[in-house]
Amino acid sequence: SVETTDSTARETPAGSTDYATFVITRSGETDYSQPLTVYFQTSGTAGSPNDSSGAADYQLYNSNGYSIYQTSYYDDGNYVYCYSVTIPANVASTNVELRPTNDATKEDTETVNLQLIATTAYNIDVNASQANATIDDNDHWSVSVEATDSTARETPAGSTDYATFAITRSGETDY
């Protein structure tokens, strides 16, 4: 099964962290003496780590802090592209951290859905086969314009009288 213990991740400046956490749990078996590799896919509005445009909005990490990269497994004559994480021997669950990419792009709240994939090694609890997380953007900025000198006049050659505008960007930014 999978669930989120912290379903909201936030883009944060360097040195700060705010991750979402998925917990993948095995249950029903009485012998946990062997590790269990669990496969999953992600979907949603956030750009995945394997987005071909290079616009990844997050990266996935295992309980040991290592990046989880896309892999594949062979199932019923087809390769399935997905991610995998291993629940260690003598342990019932493991975490998958969703770490947002702190970019300078103003974005709406984005979603990530983690969906477990069935294999011959385990059954999936259909009532707990997927979990959702959101990524909140920290680029809450706006742009304004103000006329600091709103009057411009035609003047004789050699003199000027221009109107002047100030354009200001304000709010949280990643300059």
Side-chain angles (χ1 to χ4, degrees):
S1 65
V2 62
E3 65 179 339
T4 52
T5 56
D6 181 351
S7 63
T8 303
R10 291 174 182 81
E11 289 183 10
T12 58
S16 300
T17 59
D18 192 343
Y19 307 145
T21 304
F22 296 96
V23 180
I24 297 175
T25 303
R26 61 176 164 180
S27 62
E29 60 183 280
T30 56
D31 181 11
Y32 289 178
S33 66
Q34 298 299 313
L36 176 65
T37 299
V38 178
Y39 296 92
F40 61 92
Q41 293 178 315
T42 60
S43 61
T45 59
S48 76
N50 296 302
D51 186 328
S52 60
S53 71
D57 288 312
Y58 63 93
Q59 180 63 48
L60 301 172
Y61 289 83
N62 65 20
S63 292
N64 296 320
Y66 294 110
S67 291
I68 300 172
Y69 296 101
Q70 191 174 47
T71 187
S72 64
Y73 75 94
Y74 193 71
D75 182 49
D76 197 27
N78 297 303
Y79 283 100
V80 176
Y81 293 96
C82 57
Y83 302 94
S84 69
V85 66
T86 300
I87 301 174
N90 302 313
V91 176
S93 64
T94 192
N95 293 346
V96 173
E97 282 184 347
L98 183 147
R99 299 181 185 182
T101 302
N102 186 31
D103 56 25
T105 304
K106 188 173 182 177
E107 303 163 306
D108 291 330
T109 297
E110 298 171 300
T111 61
V112 177
N113 173 272
L114 187 147
Q115 173 79 45
L116 299 177
I117 298 173
T119 71
T120 57
Y122 55 85
N123 295 317
I124 294 178
D125 178 352
V126 295
N127 296 315
S129 63
Q130 61 182 331
N132 296 300
T134 58
I135 300 173
D136 287 343
D137 190 37
N138 66 344
D139 301 302
H140 303 289
W141 45 266
S142 61
V143 177
S144 62
V145 63
E146 174 187 7
T148 56
D149 179 353
S150 62
T151 306
R153 293 181 181 82
E154 292 183 19
T155 60
S159 62
T160 60
D161 187 0
Y162 301 128
T164 307
F165 297 92
I167 299 174
T168 306
R169 177 179 172 176
S170 60
E172 286 184 65
T173 61
D174 295 322
Y175 294 112

